[in-house]
Amino acid sequence: VTGGAGFIGSSIVRKLANSKNEVLVIDALTYASNIDSISDLTSKNKIDFKNINICNREPLEKVFNSFKPQRLVHLAAETHVDNSIINPDKFLKTNVLGTFELLRASLIYLEKNKLDQKNDFVFHHVSTDEVYGDLPHPDDDNYNKNNARLLFTENTNYQPSSPYSASKAASDHLVRAWHKTYNLPITISNCSNNYGPFQHKEKLIPTVIINALNKNNIPVYGDGKQIRDWLYVDDHTEAILKILELGKIGETYNIGGRCEIRNIDLINIICDSLDKKLKINNFKHSSLIKHVEDRKGHDKRYAIDPHKIESELNWKVKETIKSGLDKTIEFYLQSHK
Ligand code: NAD
């Protein structure tokens, strides 16, 4: 699992560690990682861990040959859109060149070990719905319910808006090209916005909770009417495990929560929940909300059509936004103590 010390990666690793699989995490432990999210597993030798940057060719080749993976789940990436606008370099290095190095090392490993390309190894690439660009928003003058681009499907054209999403789009193209040209066995998933425990504090939901707990302003980009499709992280990782088990080689699966919410509404839900949980002398956490200048190139709406993975792989969302947010808020309340 590359990026296994990150938010989503650690959720997969916690699940895999409780199965019969041998698990190796490769992670460069950037600022976005949280080794505490998997340290109980490394200390009990339930998983192996190697501090490797996926851009570094030699250690990658070595680790393929020593661990001999049957499945690779590739999550290592630079992931914060705001950082990609300020400093895109790292995004191109890790997300594009790092993915290339992993593809290259996978092919060498298959050839060296004369592995059967269909049964012995699959490269699963974890990507985002942001590669598709944005969708019409209900507030748009020309919004039309019969519009064909109402949801992202696996066939939606790529139109990434930010350096982050452009770098992820490039990595998706590389993975597909390595399948078509070199017959590398791959699957790809494109997922909507995740939330849950261990997410880095720079992302929207942790920012809202932590700022509210510290009674700091809660920044909202622009009017806050941007719509995102929210998915609890463990539902995402269940979907990835389904793809590893049952996914068809060469296929892409869109994963989403069928849970479209405007940012401002989500922030108000979190504030109301904190009001109820903390009951601080009639204090309304929503009074901390402060509208700030909008993000450059901010996409208006994302929404996934998860029909393919639901019908072909029998995957379904388990958490509602209420149950998922409850667990998430509890996690940050505990870690804030
Ligand atoms: P994250 O930022 O929490 O974690 C990324 C992990 O990758 C970190 O542990 C970091 O140390 C590691 N990493 C970064 N650069 C590396 C490098 N060069 N070599 C080795 N390790 C490196 O990210 P996340 O939110 O868990 O996202 C994981 C994957 O899922 C990413 O590929 C992301 O594009 C994708 N994704 C995320 C979301 C979301 O809402 N968070 C949604 C859809 C898809």
Side-chain angles (χ1 to χ4, degrees), residues 172-227:
D172 294 10
H173 291 321
L174 290 177
V175 174
R176 280 196 191 94
W178 257 244
H179 173 59
K180 179 132 193 207
T181 302
Y182 304 109
N183 221 7
L184 185 73
I186 64 105
T187 45
I188 298 180
S189 52
N190 294 85
C191 187
S192 61
N193 278 48
N194 283 218
Y195 67 100
F198 294 110
Q199 190 166 29
H200 194 275
K201 62 178 192 277
E202 66 193 357
K203 302 286 168 59
L204 177 64
I205 290 182
T207 299
V208 173
I209 301 172
I210 293 165
N211 283 23
L213 293 177
N214 290 330
K215 298 230 174 76
N216 289 333
N217 282 336
I218 299 170
V220 181
Y221 280 137
D223 58 14
K225 289 183 182 167
Q226 309 84 357
I227 294 174

Side-chain angles (χ1 to χ4, degrees), residues 247-269:
K248 281 198 203 128
I249 300 297
E251 292 288 315
T252 296
Y253 298 90
N254 276 2
I255 308 168
R258 293 188 187 274
C259 179
E260 290 184 52
I261 307 181
R262 300 189 315 172
N263 286 348
I264 188 69
D265 298 335
L266 180 75
I267 293 167
N268 274 305
I269 294 172

Side-chain angles (χ1 to χ4, degrees), residues 2-9 26-34 52-55 74-80 94 126-129 164 168 190-195 198-200 202-203 236:
T2 73
F7 165 49
I8 302 171
I26 292 178
D27 200 297
L29 297 182
T30 70
Y31 81 96
S33 67
N34 181 354
I52 293 177
N53 188 319
I54 57 164
C55 300
H74 175 34
L75 299 111
E78 288 291 334
T79 61
H80 192 40
T94 289
V126 178
S127 192
T128 166
D129 60 354
Y164 163 65
K168 290 297 291 185
N190 294 85
C191 187
S192 61
N193 278 48
N194 283 218
Y195 67 100
F198 294 110
Q199 190 166 29
H200 194 275
E202 66 193 357
K203 302 286 168 59
H236 182 189

Side-chain angles (χ1 to χ4, degrees), residues 301-314:
R301 176 174 163 246
Y302 304 138
I304 283 270
D305 177 358
H307 179 257
K308 179 175 172 181
I309 189 164
E310 287 173 348
S311 61
E312 292 184 15
L313 306 188
N314 197 22

Side-chain angles (χ1 to χ4, degrees), residues 146-184:
N146 300 320
N147 191 316
R149 251 180 81 89
L150 270 184
L151 295 172
F152 296 134
T153 74
E154 288 79 3
N155 298 320
T156 301
N157 288 340
Y158 277 33
Q159 284 181 355
S161 306
S162 70
Y164 163 65
S165 52
S167 69
K168 290 297 291 185
S171 68
D172 294 10
H173 291 321
L174 290 177
V175 174
R176 280 196 191 94
W178 257 244
H179 173 59
K180 179 132 193 207
T181 302
Y182 304 109
N183 221 7
L184 185 73

